[in-house]
Amino acid sequence: MVYRRFLCIKDAVACINDKVDLIAVILNFSLPQTTRGTDYVCKLKIIDESHPEIPVHVFAQEIDHLPFVAAVGDIIHLSRVVMRIHEGDVYAIFNKKFSSFALYDGKDVENFQPYQVLLRYEARKHDAMIIAGLRKWLASSHVIDEPNFSLLEEINEVDLVNLVCKVRKKFRCVIRFVAVIPWRVEDFRSPDGVYRVKFTLEDPTARIHVYSYAEDGEKFFNGLSTGGLKRKLKELLGVPKSDDDGQEEIEGGARNPPWVQCCLKSHSIKRRRWIFDTKLVG
């Protein structure tokens, strides 16, 4: 297998079964998922000036070894990915044994330090020049029309921003639900019937508390019955179940909450955050 140090996407798609390095803009990305085995996978779509978008399938043994993209339009350096073709469609495979990556802000023209790297990643002298060129191209093009996702640490920073001019801000995040108060679904509503639930959310950057309240709570809990809400809450919190019928909980078992998309709003003066425009399905 040939290893080609750096190629634009146009040249890389002709190097089937070779290892290549790519630096490109992220057009889209999926939530982490488990494979049929014990690994995790996420999928990206990347683009550069030379070629339309191509998919990248990223495999990792640990979920923390997957790229956690802060926003569509950020830049990824993929090292030693393998180019493949299936039914005429070319894509790149990130191999957990030898591939690596680094993620860069797509808009910050001054910063050339990655905000996430895999341990075996090695930067090169001319990477900054390529990244600067991609940022310039991205700023003058209209290839990005996807909604951005925010990191929880960025939501925390909003409280420090001008309290007069920036009272409320909204975010779309990829997070996990790790705790809820009150625990009993029957206690989610106040005596006058208003939802008032506090969740703890996390992503790789931070852990925060958010509320599901009143009308936003009505939308989030989606009219589910008490039984249905109990079931969805256990799924959301990653409560383990037995392998027999999937109904019985495993007492003391390790929880593994799924990664989900969620919209949050933050009020700088009240210093609180709420779930909004988000709905539990099923």
Side-chain angles (χ1 to χ4, degrees):
M1 185 182 294
V2 178
Y3 175 35
R4 304 180 187 277
R5 293 293 293 174
F6 172 75
L7 295 175
C8 62
I9 294 177
K10 178 182 178 181
D11 294 333
V13 296
C15 299
I16 304 302
N17 296 326
D18 288 348
K19 295 179 185 176
V20 302
D21 283 6
L22 301 170
I23 301 181
V25 174
I26 297 170
L27 274 184
N28 201 354
F29 59 95
S30 71
L31 298 175
Q33 297 177 336
T34 54
T35 65
R36 293 180 180 178
T38 59
D39 292 340
Y40 294 89
V41 62
C42 71
K43 298 179 181 180
L44 313 174
K45 285 186 178 180
I46 61 172
I47 192 172
D48 66 13
E49 295 179 85
S50 72
H51 193 274
E53 66 203 59
I54 64 167
V56 182
H57 299 181
V58 183
F59 293 91
Q61 192 167 0
E62 304 290 339
I63 195 168
D64 291 340
H65 293 170
L66 293 174
F68 284 89
V69 182
V72 168
D74 281 355
I75 293 169
I76 189 166
H77 179 177
L78 294 161
S79 180
R80 295 181 176 87
V81 292
V82 181
M83 303 304 298
R84 300 293 194 195
I85 188 169
H86 178 69
E87 296 182 350
D89 295 324
V90 179
Y91 60 100
I93 290 287
F94 183 99
N95 189 294
K96 64 182 181 181
K97 295 181 179 179
F98 53 76
S99 302
S100 63
F101 71 84
L103 285 168
Y104 297 84
D105 190 304
K107 297 179 180 178
D108 189 346
V109 296
E110 302 294 332
N111 183 11
F112 292 95
Q113 294 298 316
Y115 63 80
Q116 185 192 359
V117 298
L118 204 59
L119 290 177
R120 53 179 171 264
Y121 169 77
E122 296 181 5
R124 302 169 303 174
K125 291 182 179 179
H126 60 282
D127 288 352
M129 180 179 66
I130 298 171
I131 292 168
L134 278 173
R135 285 171 173 165
K136 184 177 180 180
W137 169 71
L138 188 61
S140 62
S141 68
H142 300 282
V143 298
I144 300 300
D145 57 4
E146 298 284 342
N148 284 350
F149 292 83
S150 299
L151 297 174
L152 295 186
E153 67 177 6
E154 296 172 338
I155 298 177
N156 281 330
E157 292 170 0
V158 169
D159 291 338
L160 305 177
V161 179
N162 191 318
L163 297 184
V164 176
C165 299
K166 204 165 191 176
V167 174
R168 182 170 292 173
K169 189 168 178 66
K170 298 178 181 181
F171 305 86
R172 188 179 179 192
C173 307
V174 177
I175 48 82
R176 302 198 300 180
F177 286 74
V178 296
V180 59
I181 298 175
W183 172 252
R184 281 170 32 93
V185 168
E186 292 84 354
D187 298 328
F188 277 11
R189 292 182 184 268
S190 66
D192 56 357
V194 177
Y195 275 115
R196 48 171 193 180
V197 183
K198 179 180 179 181
F199 289 103
T200 302
L201 311 182
E202 71 173 10
D203 73 359
T205 68
R207 181 173 284 193
I208 65 172
H209 300 301
V210 303
Y211 294 86
S212 185
Y213 182 73
E215 292 86 357
D216 290 327
E218 294 286 351
K219 182 168 186 176
F220 180 67
F221 296 117
N222 196 21
L224 292 171
S225 65
T226 299
L229 197 50
K230 287 180 178 179
R231 177 177 56 82
K232 290 303 297 182
L233 186 64
K234 290 175 182 177
E235 292 178 6
L236 203 60
L237 296 172
V239 176
K241 298 178 181 178
S242 66
D243 294 332
D244 297 333
D245 56 10
Q247 300 298 318
E248 185 177 349
E249 294 179 31
I250 301 175
E251 186 174 353
R255 293 194 293 112
N256 184 25
W259 292 93
V260 297
Q261 295 182 19
C262 182
C263 292
L264 304 178
K265 56 186 177 183
S266 175
H267 200 297
S268 300
I269 295 177
K270 294 182 179 180
R271 301 182 69 83
R272 282 194 176 186
R273 307 168 189 90
W274 297 269
I275 297 171
F276 84 105
D277 200 25
T278 303
K279 184 184 296 185
L280 286 175
V281 179

